Amino acid sequence: MARVLIVGAGLTGSLCAALLRKEAPRPVHLTVWDEAGDSGGRMTTARSPYNPQSTVDLGAQYITCTPHYAKQHQSFYDDLLALGILKPLTSPIEGMVMREGDCNFVAPQGVSSIIKHYLKESGADVCFRHRVTQVNLRNDKWEVSKETGPPEQFDIVVLTMPVPQILQLQGDIANLISECQRRQLESVSYSSRYALGLFYEAGTKIDVPWAGQYITSNPCIRFISIDNKKRNIEPSSSVKTRKPCQMNRDTPYTITAVVTVGGNEGVHEPGSQVGGDEMACDMGRHSEESGSLSSTHKKQTGLIKEQMKPASGPLG
């Protein structure tokens, strides 16, 4: 049985695993590695340490299905809606741009539940805190090394992490990328996002007429979500920054955040304690592509991934 490793437990990696399980012409043994402590990637959901039912989305806040994507991927949306993993977004989001034919959805159990669904469907062995450092070809198999523990061998390796992390990999994989391809991949740029999640005791009133709001008057804050209104859960709120916001990992909570609690709006200045009984923070270095590959370059990137399969790969 072929051993397949998928690096990255975000939406791309989890869906890739589920589709491989469903579409592979022969049985495969699937393994998913991720450097983080949980699945989700840019679709992360945090849980209160004192009440696991209280969650807050620190990644994507809602899913927009455009007419173009509905035509291509309607079956995926239909399945997720039928299972209750997605439901239509009916709560008001102030400042949201609505285009003709767009449909918006939320995940009642948190946006990371989409990833967890696909991972479960794939039946893959999922391992966290596995940071890949090298990929080498050994006797017609791919030997993958990580920061800790011995290397392991696989027949096929699929890389779904951000481009900068792929370019940092050591070993034979570096020889698969031509200078032209490398320059094209290096042209991909990312912007960082920072998210702060606040958890409140059950029964706390956050008295605002919206479930989410795009902020235009603050140089740092871009979006605030009241998740109990957005997803009908225990009270929690999420604050997300704009692209230019500069922060570092030594000061994860020193941000300017506008949070409304009990009808009293307050602006918390840098260095002050932001309200809420518990908090969670996410710092996404590769949160969003600000400069992506052209369609031609994307095809070349796909070729690089295809080359990760040895010539005698068992999937044919």
Side-chain angles (χ1 to χ4, degrees), residues 104-116:
N104 294 300
F105 303 99
V106 292
Q109 301 304 314
V111 72
S112 68
S113 63
I114 301 171
I115 284 77
K116 296 181 189 303

Side-chain angles (χ1 to χ4, degrees), residues 81-96:
L81 286 165
L83 293 169
I85 297 170
L86 288 182
K87 70 175 183 180
L89 171 63
T90 57
S91 303
I93 306 292
E94 288 191 2
M96 181 171 63

